[in-house]
Amino acid sequence: MNGPQGFGTNVSPDDGSPDPVLDISKLTKTYRGRTGDKVANDAIDLTVRAGEIVALLGPNGAGKTTLLRQVAGQLLPTDGRVLVSGVDMVRHPLRAKQFLSVIPQECQPKRDLTVAEHIRYFALLKDAREDIDGEVDRLLMETGLTEHRDFLVRELSGGLRRRVLIAVALAGPKTRLLLLDEPTTGVDPEARRSVWGLIDRLRSRRIAILLTTHYIEEAEYLADRVTVIHGGRKIAEGTVEEIRGRLPYRGRLEVRGVNHLSPTARDFVRSLELKYSVATRFGNLVRFEIPDPFHVSVVADLAELTRRGALATLSPASLEDAYLSMVGTGEG
């Protein structure tokens, strides 16, 4: 489990079938221009199975949203193939679209409807006509909105509005794939955790989820697999642990407030800069990259730093460390 209890269970999906809900093969999107061609997606392969959450990470302009728009049938690929529940999105877009729902980053629910009215309206549009009252009640309960059913959408917080959008996306009898573009952008940290819990619980419905995010912590909590896109190309893919395993080190020893340490503490920090091959300064912080953060000598160094009055922490390498090592720190 990567996140706190209740999040990020990272259970290997198994829907009883070897076929993924989403199968992307050699997906390419090239924009023609007078000054030359721009490749937004370059021969990307990607799959998502029932009950699986795959997170797309990448800096701004990496091609994440372009990929989602092609999967949703909003943008025609230049080359490659997108299959949704085995249906080709280019050849049979109407058939393929009945199996997916998409929530764009900028999407907002209708403010002048109540929560229940909003869900009912879109459920009817998606052919959820049989026992529509039961469908609305089920979606309200599943997304934790029952007590807000008669609230106008404009009265809701940003996190609750996101729940309304997810409820709408889940409406209809055929939805098997959910596309989420930056699902928690613009909501406060408490609401973000609440939305994460809702997304995580969708595993039990065997929904396949592909999401883009700029929050590394979001990918750590939710994703069974992470795909890193940079410059339109897929440069890494794997579980959070596998992505972290690409780093040449396994932990970090950080010392904060270095400029305000006592002379003896500064001397000890300088000795560690000689001891460890990789030391980086960020203003008032020094970071050491540690091959084995649990080695007895490293623990002893931490204890000595603390004894000399330094504010020091020892932690395992994170997904963010691995991500930044692949795409750099100057973008997105």
Side-chain angles (χ1 to χ4, degrees):
M1 183 177 295
N2 289 320
Q5 188 173 0
F7 291 106
T9 49
N10 303 109
V11 177
S12 297
D14 179 10
D15 61 348
S17 168
D19 297 324
V21 175
L22 175 64
D23 187 0
I24 299 172
S25 177
K26 305 299 179 187
L27 192 64
T28 301
K29 182 62 182 178
T30 303
Y31 293 102
R32 311 294 182 186
R34 287 180 294 178
T35 59
D37 296 344
K38 173 178 172 56
V39 179
N41 290 152
D42 187 2
I44 293 177
D45 296 327
L46 189 145
T47 61
V48 190
R49 299 185 181 278
E52 183 178 35
I53 300 176
V54 174
L56 294 177
L57 292 179
N60 289 331
K64 305 185 300 298
T65 298
T66 297
L67 190 150
L68 250 63
R69 291 186 63 199
Q70 291 177 91
V71 172
Q74 299 168 349
L75 194 63
L76 282 175
T78 305
D79 198 4
R81 185 186 68 181
V82 176
L83 298 181
V84 180
S85 264
V87 180
D88 192 301
M89 177 59 75
V90 173
R91 294 182 178 180
H92 308 288
L94 294 180
R95 283 178 53 202
K97 287 180 182 180
Q98 68 182 334
F99 296 115
L100 68 83
S101 291
V102 57
I103 303 179
Q105 180 181 346
E106 67 279 4
C107 185
Q108 290 292 332
K110 295 183 179 297
R111 295 170 57 85
D112 293 326
L113 295 178
T114 68
V115 171
E117 288 170 343
H118 194 287
I119 295 172
R120 174 186 289 270
Y121 174 77
F122 284 95
L124 288 171
L125 288 179
K126 296 173 71 175
D127 287 331
R129 299 179 185 275
E130 189 172 326
D131 188 21
I132 184 63
D133 291 335
E135 175 78 350
V136 171
D137 288 342
R138 179 183 65 79
L139 291 168
L140 287 168
M141 183 181 302
E142 190 167 2
T143 54
L145 290 168
T146 300
E147 65 183 69
H148 298 90
R149 64 175 301 137
D150 296 321
F151 282 57
L152 291 173
V153 168
R154 66 169 177 261
E155 299 172 334
L156 302 180
S157 66
L160 289 174
R161 290 180 190 178
R162 283 287 169 180
R163 286 175 173 266
V164 172
L165 292 173
I166 292 174
V168 168
L170 296 175
K174 297 181 179 179
T175 301
R176 297 195 65 207
L177 173 65
L178 185 58
L179 306 177
L180 303 174
D181 192 8
E182 304 287 343
T184 59
T185 294
V187 302
D188 62 73
E190 182 179 357
R192 183 175 301 134
R193 295 293 182 99
S194 178
V195 173
W196 288 353
L198 171 57
I199 294 171
D200 188 55
R201 289 194 296 275
L202 295 180
R203 298 175 196 274
S204 64
R205 278 195 60 176
R206 314 305 296 153
I207 300 288
I209 298 175
L210 178 63
L211 65 87
T212 72
T213 182
H214 277 110
Y215 297 114
I216 304 295
E217 188 182 19
E218 189 160 272
E220 283 188 303
Y221 274 28
L222 291 174
D224 298 292
R225 284 186 293 118
V226 174
T227 296
V228 182
I229 297 178
H230 190 43
R233 295 184 301 107
K234 183 172 77 173
I235 61 173
E237 183 177 51
T239 65
V240 170
E241 290 76 15
E242 288 168 344
I243 298 294
R244 282 198 297 241
R246 296 168 64 101
L247 287 167
Y249 61 95
R250 294 293 177 267
R252 299 181 308 183
L253 176 61
E254 293 185 343
V255 185
R256 300 180 181 276
V258 176
N259 298 335
H260 307 294
L261 293 177
S262 66
T264 58
R266 286 200 299 270
D267 287 343
F268 190 69
V269 170
R270 281 193 288 269
S271 73
L272 294 180
E273 289 177 315
L274 296 174
K275 175 180 178 180
Y276 297 112
S277 58
V278 181
T280 310
R281 282 185 176 263
F282 301 91
N284 214 16
L285 178 145
V286 176
R287 175 180 297 164
F288 302 101
E289 296 174 0
I290 309 297
D292 180 2
F294 303 108
H295 193 276
V296 62
S297 66
V298 178
V299 175
D301 290 337
L302 175 65
E304 183 61 21
L305 284 166
T306 302
R307 191 185 71 80
R308 297 189 186 209
L311 179 59
T313 57
L314 182 63
S315 61
S318 67
L319 177 61
E320 182 176 10
D321 296 326
Y323 170 76
L324 292 176
S325 76
M326 288 183 277
V327 304
T329 58
E331 298 181 79

